[in-house]
Amino acid sequence: MEFNITATATFGLEAVVRREVEALGYEDTKTENGKVTFRGGPEAVAEANLHLRCADRVLINVGEFEAKDFTELFDRVKDIPWEEYIDRDGRFPVSCTTVKSTLHNPPAIQSISKKAIASRLGEVRGQEIVPENGALYPVKITIHKDKVDVTIDTSGEGLHKRGYRKASVNAPIKETMAAALVSLSFWNRDRILVDPCCGSGTIPIEAAMIARNIPPGLGRSFICEEWSIIGRDVWKEARRKAFAAIDYDAYPDIRGCDISPKAVAAAVANAEEAGVDDCIDFSVADAADLEARGNNGVIITNPPYGIRIGEKDEIEKVYKALGSFCRRNRDWSLFMITTDPRAEKKVMGRKADRRRKLYNGRLETTYYQFHGQRV
């Protein structure tokens, strides 16, 4: 059985997710705002969940149509062959979002859609009551300008939930965003990488996992592992191949620093949980004390945004330290994400070589890229 699959993405990261999907061998991709779609069988669902570093979720598309009233919605949802997806005892909670549409009442949309699914399953399977005590099949109804997209979530928890973050700090960057920052930089495992504001270590850890080809989903489970349409054998084989591809001999030069001992302790614990503590050097240090220790290095960092009380002076010091370091070490490159629209002037006194608008959670940020001189 083949599926229409969607990998959802944070706005601004669609191209990154598309490259990841194509790297898995799925070439017939379509990119839209916030998502990348492609076709594949059960193995594609398993591989996408295990390997996509920058996507938010993996969904199966089961229906697409227009609906302007509840009767039309009920009939079109009921037309979907739900029995091909949902097991006899499967649970199918329905959620909904609606934007600029005639149908604008989410609770009513959810209720009507739920009844349509139950009606279909009951009629096809000869059940007066559809039991819901088995595997979970979260159904999502998305309506935009009367166009209805019906999907089933295969991931469960968002893909940023890698499973290694056992300790955290205030305002940690999502694992998916951290992986994207690394992917959008010039860094590769043969170059030095430093995060002078590492917090709980997410950017260095994601970089180390990339360097060792450790799939981000290996340390967690996914709700579709219980689905008969995917199959346990498919998951077993996908995990076997993923483990076999890990490069345990890779020892990249990655460093993470933070002025907070609590943050560094959290970073060390998280790196141990991720299995990459042996290739990251974490230390308690001020950004002003950063030393090059090598040529053509890369700084990738998510400094404080200055939103909380007391952070403004702290971020100004970080900006000054980063600018001073880059002027002393012109062969190093700096990649920094922040909400501050004047950061490039404050840090380097000039426009960045490249800028990219990204959403870090609900915050609109800019990813500033300052390219070093190759030596």
Side-chain angles (χ1 to χ4, degrees):
M1 185 177 184
E2 276 218 330
F3 308 112
N4 292 316
I5 303 169
T6 291
T8 63
T10 297
F11 287 108
L13 296 183
E14 295 90 346
V16 180
V17 173
R18 186 193 70 242
R19 288 196 295 269
E20 291 188 318
V21 170
E22 291 174 346
L24 291 175
Y26 304 99
E27 298 179 353
D28 189 16
T29 61
K30 180 181 178 183
T31 304
E32 300 178 61
N33 286 339
K35 63 182 181 180
V36 177
T37 57
F38 60 103
R39 283 188 62 79
E43 69 286 346
V45 174
E47 289 174 351
N49 275 299
L50 282 174
H51 292 277
L52 295 183
R53 299 182 188 278
C54 305
D56 294 327
R57 291 181 180 276
V58 177
L59 313 175
I60 292 177
N61 302 70
V62 296
E64 183 178 314
F65 51 86
E66 279 198 2
K68 295 184 178 181
D69 59 55
F70 286 120
T71 299
E72 191 173 16
L73 176 68
F74 181 93
D75 291 341
R76 298 304 300 274
V77 171
K78 188 177 177 180
D79 285 341
I80 295 169
W82 293 102
E83 67 279 3
E84 295 180 7
Y85 301 99
I86 300 174
D87 289 340
R88 292 187 69 87
D89 60 351
R91 292 175 288 152
F92 46 96
V94 179
S95 61
C96 166
T97 58
T98 177
V99 179
K100 298 179 180 177
S101 299
T102 307
L103 296 174
H104 56 270
N105 186 330
I109 294 167
Q110 291 168 209
S111 177
I112 292 293
S113 300
K114 176 83 173 181
K115 288 177 182 177
I117 299 170
S119 178
R120 168 83 184 206
L121 292 176
E123 289 179 12
V124 171
R125 293 171 175 167
Q127 298 170 313
E128 291 186 11
I129 299 176
V130 178
E132 290 192 62
N133 49 21
L136 191 62
Y137 297 78
V139 176
K140 174 74 171 179
I141 308 291
T142 303
I143 308 178
H144 182 249
K145 295 182 179 179
D146 298 328
K147 177 189 172 186
V148 183
D149 288 311
V150 186
T151 59
I152 306 175
D153 179 15
T154 74
S155 302
E157 288 192 303
L159 296 184
H160 70 283
K161 296 282 190 179
R162 313 291 208 217
Y164 65 72
R165 184 178 279 172
K166 303 301 182 182
S168 191
V169 295
N170 288 333
I173 192 170
K174 276 189 176 182
E175 294 87 334
T176 45
M177 178 60 74
L181 299 185
V182 176
S183 296
L184 289 168
S185 76
F186 291 156
W187 181 79
N188 61 59
R189 69 183 191 179
D190 296 323
R191 299 181 69 175
I192 304 166
L193 185 151
V194 179
D195 180 359
C197 305
C198 72
S200 55
T202 310
I203 292 175
I205 291 170
E206 290 294 323
M209 293 176 71
I210 290 171
R212 283 190 167 168
N213 199 34
I214 300 175
L218 270 187
R220 55 163 287 178
S221 60
F222 304 89
I223 57 173
C224 67
E225 292 183 57
E226 303 296 321
W227 298 1
S228 60
I229 59 170
I230 306 298
R232 292 184 181 276
D233 288 343
V234 168
W235 274 101
K236 185 177 180 180
E237 177 62 12
R239 289 185 183 276
R240 185 197 66 77
K241 288 169 62 177
F243 275 112
I246 297 174
D247 185 358
Y248 292 103
D249 294 326
Y251 285 94
D253 188 348
I254 300 174
R255 281 176 272 155
C257 312
D258 201 282
I259 199 169
S260 165
K262 181 180 177 181
V264 172
V268 170
N270 292 336
E272 290 174 351
E273 189 68 28
V276 293
D277 55 302
D278 57 339
C279 57
I280 307 176
D281 178 20
F282 287 112
S283 62
V284 179
D286 193 306
D289 298 325
L290 182 63
E291 296 180 2
R293 285 166 46 187
N295 297 325
N296 298 318
V298 175
I299 295 173
I300 305 176
T301 193
N302 173 45
Y305 293 165
I307 296 173
R308 291 182 175 85
I309 296 174
E311 279 187 349
K312 189 173 181 180
D313 290 342
E314 179 185 349
I315 188 57
E316 294 295 333
K317 291 178 182 177
V318 171
Y319 285 167
K320 183 178 179 181
L322 292 175
S324 176
F325 176 89
C326 290
R327 283 186 286 274
R328 295 195 312 271
N329 303 279
R330 297 188 178 277
D331 56 310
W332 277 62
S333 298
L334 169 63
F335 298 83
M336 182 180 72
I337 186 171
T338 179
T339 57
D340 189 346
R342 299 184 64 235
E344 54 192 340
K345 271 194 171 182
K346 294 178 182 178
V347 174
M348 300 292 285
R350 65 175 177 87
K351 288 187 175 181
D353 296 296
R354 292 193 68 181
R355 287 179 285 177
R356 194 183 192 103
K357 291 292 182 184
L358 298 173
Y359 279 88
N360 186 10
R362 295 184 178 182
L363 297 175
E364 181 178 329
T365 66
T366 301
Y367 191 35
Y368 295 104
Q369 305 178 32
F370 299 94
H371 303 161
Q373 301 170 1
R374 295 290 289 175
V375 297

